[in-house]
Amino acid sequence: MSAPGSGTAADDRAEGAEGAAHSSAIAVLLAGAAALGGFLFGYDSSVINGTVDALKEQFGLGGFAVGFVVSAALLGCAAGAWFAGPLGDRIGRVRVMLIASVLFVVSSLGSALAFSAVDLTFWRLVGGLAIGAASVIAPAYIAEIAPAELRGRLGSLQQMAIVLGIFAALVVDYVIAQFSDGGATGTFPWGGGAWRWMFASCIVPAVMYGVIATTIPESPRYLVKKHETARARQVLRRVMGGRGDVDTKIREIARSIAADRPVHLRDLRGPRLGLLPIVWAGILLSVFQQFVGINVIFYYSSSLWQAVGFSEDDAMLTSVINSVVNVAFTLVAIALVDRIGRRPLLLTGAAGMAVSLGVLTVCFATAPVVDGDPRLGDAAGPVALVAANVFVASFAATWGPVVWVMLGEMFNNFIRASALAVAAAAQWLANWLITTTFPGISGFSLGLAYGIYTLFSVLAFVFVFRAVPETKGRELEDMDRLEAPRASRARA
């Protein structure tokens, strides 16, 4: 016979385990809903890949003009990211998601109906505002509702959503081109240019994002900041389950926030070139994530592969393959980020990107030039294709998701939204710089362009090794005590 009360204790343990599992499932669902903004981010920013040649023909654009139209959204992204943090602190994370959804819909419709490069650029800027806002709010929200032991994997959902959005955009571009008379530059069966339908297709996920955003609760940390403790307690009960006391957690959040005044950019000031060291770490992580040239693959890959000798169909299919690799290796990141930590993944990824980009540099620099473009031979072509996919895999398994995870968690509660806004704005400006300059640099020398990206991959490795702290397993309320690796070693 069992001792008196032993059955009750066992039942309590089972109930606690069941509650923890249920709360984990709720956290996953909420994070997935917020990460749908990342899907739109990837979709809207990459749908232009299939339209580049059509836009050249439709509006008579040269290399620099094409680069500006393609990258115009990124300027909007920088502005959207810059203002999303303070706006999220003022009106809440969920309301910013709803605003982003509306901007996505307006931008997609305007881009589809564009009658000149000028108004297309304007509508792309509007879409950029939405992308930038989503890029800040989603990781902040996910970090704020996720338990510490799940935060890395749930934060990686943002990047998974981004790469799925990229994949979906490239597949839709490919399908529309296949069903159109004349490919991407031709006419879609329902009327209008194929490229217009590519832009219009973004309306569907944009509406879904808005609808889903109305069903999720506000961030508990935002609610505590606004003194809505009862609502914060309800949300925390749902996502914490049996993982600790809710009232204790609320007191910890309130203590970490430490003030009820609005956050200003002056709160980010510090001793290192005018900013806090942790803010600089976030900015440089963002910049290096873009300076390795990953978005050249996703914005220009169809045109790039055609330029080096692939047919239009093969070039678009190759872009889809790149995207499949991107999705597959993002799953690898989700599996590893909470097991082996953020720094090891970033270091491994930087090394893999440096090697693969170095191979691409050699392939393009040594290829014979025909009509102003390098032509890859029977040997160099497959080598370049493999190297490009290794580069995408190295990025997708490491720098793609891990940077977003760290940006969502590395700042303390009080400055998180504003610091994340600054880091994300820097990321979009870096993306804009790379995207705008690629047509010009590659027109001069494709080998030079990839040589530059190789150099930045090496610098990214050095930066992480010397200056990026590990955030694995830390509670958000403990992020004030982060130290750079060198400081930790010196004190040990």
Side-chain angles (χ1 to χ4, degrees):
M1 292 181 63
S2 300
S6 62
T8 301
D11 289 344
D12 288 345
R13 286 194 298 271
E15 184 177 347
E18 183 179 348
H22 179 67
S23 64
S24 295
I26 290 175
V28 170
L29 289 174
L30 295 179
L36 185 57
F39 181 91
L40 280 167
F41 164 1
Y43 194 105
D44 193 78
S45 61
S46 293
V47 74
I48 201 166
N49 188 308
T51 71
V52 171
D53 290 333
L55 295 178
K56 289 179 183 178
E57 181 177 311
Q58 179 77 30
F59 301 128
L61 303 178
F64 175 79
V66 168
F68 188 78
V69 171
V70 171
S71 63
L74 304 177
L75 293 177
C77 291
W82 182 268
F83 290 108
L87 189 61
D89 280 330
R90 181 173 300 175
I91 68 173
R93 281 50 164 155
V94 172
R95 288 192 181 98
V96 174
M97 294 179 198
L98 292 171
I99 292 171
S101 172
V102 172
L103 291 176
F104 273 125
V105 172
V106 171
S107 167
S108 301
L109 187 59
S111 298
L113 299 176
F115 55 84
S116 72
V118 174
D119 72 304
L120 175 59
T121 300
F122 171 77
W123 294 119
R124 295 292 294 163
L125 281 167
V126 172
L129 291 173
I131 297 172
S135 73
V136 167
I137 290 303
Y141 180 88
I142 292 169
E144 290 173 353
I145 59 95
E149 66 272 18
L150 295 177
R151 197 173 56 238
R153 278 168 283 179
L154 295 186
S156 298
L157 289 178
Q158 164 80 350
Q159 181 65 18
M160 172 53 88
I162 292 171
V163 300
L164 286 174
I166 293 171
F167 171 71
L170 294 174
V171 169
V172 169
D173 283 356
Y174 180 74
V175 170
I176 290 175
Q178 291 298 305
F179 279 91
S180 299
D181 182 19
T185 59
T187 302
F188 194 66
W190 295 348
W195 64 272
R196 296 184 184 275
W197 287 95
M198 292 176 184
F199 284 125
S201 65
C202 190
I203 294 174
V204 175
V207 171
M208 291 176 59
Y209 180 47
V211 171
I212 291 176
T214 64
T215 67
I216 63 176
E218 186 52 83
S219 157
R221 287 174 174 83
Y222 168 79
L223 294 173
V224 171
K225 184 181 291 187
K226 293 300 181 181
H227 308 294
E228 298 184 37
T229 307
R231 289 180 61 196
R233 186 177 288 109
Q234 291 176 351
V235 177
L236 286 171
R237 282 200 185 104
R238 293 177 64 187
V239 299
M240 286 181 63
R243 298 184 183 88
D245 181 69
V246 170
D247 289 327
T248 300
K249 186 67 174 177
I250 287 177
R251 287 193 294 271
E252 290 174 355
I253 293 171
R255 188 164 49 249
S256 71
I257 292 172
D260 60 1
R261 63 182 177 82
V263 180
H264 299 287
L265 291 178
R266 63 174 174 265
D267 295 306
L268 307 182
R269 291 176 184 167
R272 188 166 298 172
L273 298 177
L275 293 174
L276 295 169
I278 195 66
V279 176
W280 275 119
I283 290 172
L284 290 173
L285 278 172
S286 294
V287 169
F288 279 122
Q289 189 199 51
Q290 298 304 314
F291 275 11
V292 298
I294 186 64
N295 283 313
V296 166
I297 296 289
F298 296 119
Y299 297 165
Y300 293 110
S301 58
S302 294
S303 296
L304 169 65
W305 293 116
Q306 287 184 66
V308 297
F310 287 55
S311 68
E312 179 181 353
D313 284 349
D314 287 345
M316 294 190 75
L317 185 58
T318 298
S319 297
V320 172
I321 293 171
N322 291 154
S323 187
V324 171
V325 171
N326 196 17
V327 172
F329 279 86
T330 299
L331 290 171
V332 173
I334 293 174
L336 296 179
V337 66
D338 280 326
R339 294 184 181 181
I340 67 175
R342 285 56 160 158
R343 290 188 76 245
L345 285 176
L346 291 174
L347 291 169
T348 302
M353 290 189 294
V355 172
S356 54
L357 285 169
V359 171
L360 283 169
T361 300
V362 172
C363 288
F364 291 135
T366 58
V369 177
V370 179
D371 296 328
D373 292 317
R375 286 293 185 269
L376 300 178
D378 293 339
V383 170
L385 193 57
V386 170
N389 281 296
V390 171
F391 167 55
V392 171
S394 299
F395 179 89
T398 59
W399 278 76
V402 173
V403 168
W404 285 112
V405 169
M406 294 196 70
L407 290 181
E409 69 184 6
M410 68 192 297
F411 308 115
N412 69 50
N413 281 332
F414 184 64
I415 69 169
R416 179 174 301 109
S418 293
L420 181 52
V422 170
Q427 182 175 129
W428 289 115
L429 288 173
N431 192 344
W432 175 80
L433 183 62
I434 291 296
T435 306
T436 303
T437 57
F438 176 74
I441 297 175
S442 63
F444 175 75
S445 171
L446 200 53
L448 173 63
Y450 278 87
I452 293 172
Y453 307 148
T454 303
L455 174 62
F456 279 119
S457 296
V458 174
L459 293 176
F461 181 94
V462 174
F463 166 67
V464 172
F465 183 77
R466 293 177 61 87
V468 175
E470 180 60 74
T471 56
K472 172 190 171 185
R474 288 180 176 265
E475 292 289 348
L476 297 182
E477 290 70 41
D478 297 331
M479 291 300 173
D480 285 330
R481 293 189 284 274
L482 286 179
E483 293 181 345
R486 285 187 299 162
S488 298
R489 289 198 303 270
R491 199 173 63 180

